Amino acid sequence: MERIAHQPLHPSVITRLDPEYVEFHNMTLQYIVPPHTLTWNPAIRDEPVVPGGSPPLEVAKTQDFDLAHTKIRTFTPHGTVPDGGWPVFIFFHGGGWTLGNITSETSFATRMAVGAHCVVISVDYRLAPENPYPAAVEDAIDALDWVMQNGANSLGINTSRIAVGGSSSGGNLAAILCLKAAERNPPTPLVFQLLVVPVIDNTVTVDNSWASNQNSPWLSPDRMLWFRNNYLPNPKDLTKWDASPIFAPKELLEKVPEAWIGVAELDILKEEGVLYGEKLRELGVKVETVIYDGAPHPIMAMDGTSPESRRTSRF
């Protein structure tokens, strides 16, 4: 039976893409039916958000803890606890606030735990369309509060060494959590934010910053708008800074921690990620922005398929 290519590569981008990605896309990804073309059913979440991930690494301990509306999963590395306790990295998976779960990016979480020698906490935040904005933001705040209140006793965490991060929609939540922490009185101190292909501006379309990459694979404009409409059904919410951190006031932006922002050259979200880095830098925040040449949006989650993908796990 002949397989149907539901999302073939656009001819205009083939020569610009990483060759190993092209091979994997042609063998596997093009035959997957894009979720935004299907009638919504929560069972869509049973499939991997992005195929092509590497196997998780072994860690010393994995534990789950309940929050008010969801749960977190913690990964503790092997080795001796550092003086003062473990540094901690709070991580938010991608999936357009609609797909994914606590196991989606276990490979990345375990690589962070082992490579950075820290406790990684993956947040199983509530998903749209059942739980639209601001549910995921509320869960992000709950996760930070849990770490501050319980991290030392439950996991041996040093609460003065908290970093946050995420991919795509998870990068959006991580950036927002930094702003929420800065807004508090007194602020909750965070030391670092790692934003991989983050959603920064939920007002952009193909009429502006998406135009140059509108034919790139996987995260098409239609798919991104489907995610956006699931999570932000009320247009009045699009410009709120806890939905689009690019609109945060200067007095909050200048207080956020040092940032590492990774964007993919062939991703509709590239320009907003680069712009956010520039805006933070202008306000005095230390920022490193890395552009992954020849890479499409799902680069981090595909670290089992190509050298460019694996580079994102060794930032």
Side-chain angles (χ1 to χ4, degrees), residues 69-92:
H69 300 288
T70 186
K71 65 181 178 180
I72 57 175
R73 178 162 295 164
T74 67
F75 303 89
T76 302
H78 292 284
T80 304
V81 180
D83 292 341
W86 290 108
V88 61
F89 177 64
I90 303 173
F91 178 69
F92 302 92

Side-chain angles (χ1 to χ4, degrees), residues 33 50 73 79 114 138 149 153 170 214 217 223 267 269:
V33 179
V50 181
R73 178 162 295 164
V114 172
E138 294 168 351
Q149 296 164 13
N153 289 334
Q214 63 181 304
R223 185 183 299 209
D267 180 9
L269 304 182

Side-chain angles (χ1 to χ4, degrees), residues 126-186:
R126 286 171 290 171
L127 299 174
E130 300 93 332
N131 298 283
Y133 163 91
V137 175
E138 294 168 351
D139 292 345
I141 296 169
D142 284 351
L144 177 60
D145 288 342
W146 186 93
V147 170
M148 294 297 295
Q149 296 164 13
N150 303 288
N153 289 334
S154 297
L155 296 167
I157 284 171
N158 181 343
T159 55
S160 68
R161 300 182 67 190
I162 302 173
V164 302
S167 65
S168 194
S169 57
N172 169 271
L173 295 174
I176 291 164
L177 185 57
C178 289
L179 293 162
K180 291 286 188 179
E183 184 185 40
R184 289 177 161 178
N185 187 17

